[in-house]
Amino acid sequence: MSSKVKWGVLSTAQIGLNAVIPAIQGSALSEVVAIASRDEATARQAAEAAGIPKAYGSYEALLADPAIEAIYNPLPNHLHVPWTIRALEAGKHVLCEKPIALTAEEAETLKAVSARTGWLVAEAFMVRHHPQWRLAREIAASGRIGEARALQTIFSYYLTDPANIRNQAAIGGGGLYDVGCYAVATARYIFGAEPERVVGAFDTDPALGTDRMMSGLAEFPGRRHLGFTCATQLGLRQSVEILGTKGRIAISIPFNAPAGRPVTIAVDDGRDLEGGGREVVEIPPCDQYGLQADAFSRAIRSGEAPEWGLDDAVLNMRVLDAFFRSGRSGQWEAP
């Protein structure tokens, strides 16, 4: 690549300030050159703290900057589609935080605008860029654990602050949108397929109106299953196990893998329940957010489609839609 792709960030959201911006700044092919907030003083403070050259007091001003090539959109969920469209119309490529929309129908609108303008859009599922997930998929496909037939996933944290966007139902809060989407995306990634039907059970907070706990079952072709629980009001926990006919793979920190130290996955041949056939594989330190940004920057410079583009994002949203329908109907639903 002849030069780094110049990025602008819409909003001073914590995920951007704490994880994504530092990762982009430390990556090989990308750099953040501007950040915007609805409040100019907030934007300036964030820019100074992160070493970003430009700060804008409106999103519109950032999108009007001709030097910016790519936008990172970490706005609240209900603003993902409208501001991604505005960025595309302004001549920018967009990496949009998950979930890319509130429905698959909303996500479909992005495909039409992207095709018309010629600018790229991808959904920010950083985990698919981490070597631990790529290795897990390779092992699962290799036959080492036999036929991979089931995934068991837990992703939970405890948060009851009503001011937090994750606890605001009207703007796309709740556990399935926030963290359950990872269980769906990674199961589709490991199985290399789309679920045929899903069923979900929801526990809704009576005051907040958000799903504070949700458990789901998704059936993939060949009777392969994803079973998961996601929650915004349970103890902090992340775990993934890929179960095969002859063994299993356990990913120790599957979603928020730390950038500064190694992580591990364990491959167990199932000879006993005490780990007698367990091998622990260490993956060197890496920043999955930086890898994600560079993958998108590489697509921008090469003119090639991202590895996971809008078609994938729409498919993931269809599964989330089906889970929400199942929660209302109490029955299996097809994506």
Side-chain angles (χ1 to χ4, degrees):
M1 291 176 59
S2 58
S3 63
K4 290 187 175 184
V5 171
K6 294 177 172 58
W7 289 66
V9 178
L10 291 182
S11 96
T12 54
Q14 289 302 304
I15 187 174
L17 296 178
N18 296 336
V20 180
I21 291 173
I24 295 176
Q25 296 293 60
S27 68
L29 310 176
S30 316
E31 61 179 332
V32 178
V33 298
I35 189 169
S37 171
R38 291 297 194 188
D39 180 77
E40 188 169 354
T42 301
R44 286 178 181 168
Q45 183 179 17
E48 290 176 7
I52 299 171
K54 300 178 187 178
Y56 290 106
S58 73
Y59 305 147
E60 293 87 348
L62 185 145
L63 295 181
D65 185 337
I68 295 171
E69 302 170 84
I71 296 296
Y72 170 60
N73 178 359
L75 291 165
N77 293 344
H78 71 303
L79 298 178
H80 285 175
V81 167
W83 280 100
T84 294
I85 289 175
R86 294 188 70 166
L88 292 170
E89 299 282 8
K92 316 297 184 187
H93 305 281
V94 184
L95 178 67
C96 183
E97 261 307 328
K98 55 76 202 165
I100 202 165
L102 296 181
T103 65
E105 184 179 6
E106 263 196 353
E108 287 279 6
T109 66
L110 294 177
K111 292 175 66 175
V113 179
S114 177
R116 174 168 54 81
T117 61
W119 306 109
L120 301 176
V121 182
E123 188 173 21
F125 276 116
M126 73 293 183
V127 295
R128 292 183 296 198
H129 298 273
H130 198 291
Q132 69 173 350
W133 275 99
R134 293 180 179 259
L135 178 59
R137 183 171 66 169
E138 290 172 7
I139 294 172
S142 72
R144 182 174 172 184
I145 62 168
E147 182 184 359
R149 297 193 55 81
L151 264 79
Q152 294 290 326
T153 298
I154 296 174
F155 197 165
S156 63
Y157 58 87
Y158 193 86
L159 177 68
T160 56
D161 178 8
N164 191 289
I165 60 172
R166 293 169 180 80
N167 287 328
Q168 297 179 28
I171 63 173
L176 181 57
Y177 275 138
D178 190 39
V179 292
C181 60
Y182 284 104
V184 172
T186 50
R188 294 175 51 246
Y189 177 78
I190 292 295
F191 286 144
E194 302 302 319
E196 296 176 324
R197 60 176 186 161
V198 306
V199 65
F202 290 76
D203 173 26
T204 300
D205 186 295
L208 299 172
T210 55
D211 53 300
R212 61 187 176 189
M213 183 174 71
M214 181 267 173
S215 295
L217 178 64
E219 187 172 75
F220 287 75
R223 300 292 184 181
R224 295 172 294 171
H225 291 167
L226 160 68
F228 71 96
T229 294
C230 60
T232 62
Q233 294 182 33
L234 289 179
L236 185 67
R237 178 63 175 162
Q238 295 183 18
S239 67
V240 169
E241 286 199 338
I242 304 165
L243 304 171
T245 53
K246 297 180 180 178
R248 66 186 181 93
I249 303 166
I251 305 177
S252 58
I253 310 178
F255 305 115
N256 294 122
R261 61 180 176 84
V263 294
T264 60
I265 66 172
V267 186
D268 194 324
D269 65 12
R271 69 182 65 176
D272 57 45
L273 294 175
E274 299 176 347
R278 184 170 178 264
E279 178 193 0
V280 177
V281 182
E282 184 175 279
I283 293 91
C286 69
D287 194 320
Q288 59 187 348
Y289 292 103
L291 295 173
Q292 173 182 251
D294 277 354
F296 195 60
S297 290
R298 194 174 294 110
I300 291 171
R301 285 286 183 263
S302 68
E304 297 178 358
E307 188 173 3
W308 296 283
L310 281 173
D311 287 340
D312 180 86
V314 169
L315 290 170
N316 214 66
M317 286 307 309
R318 286 179 181 171
V319 181
L320 300 189
D321 287 353
F323 274 121
F324 282 120
R325 290 197 305 273
S326 176
R328 295 188 293 268
S329 71
Q331 300 177 347
W332 287 92
E333 297 284 348

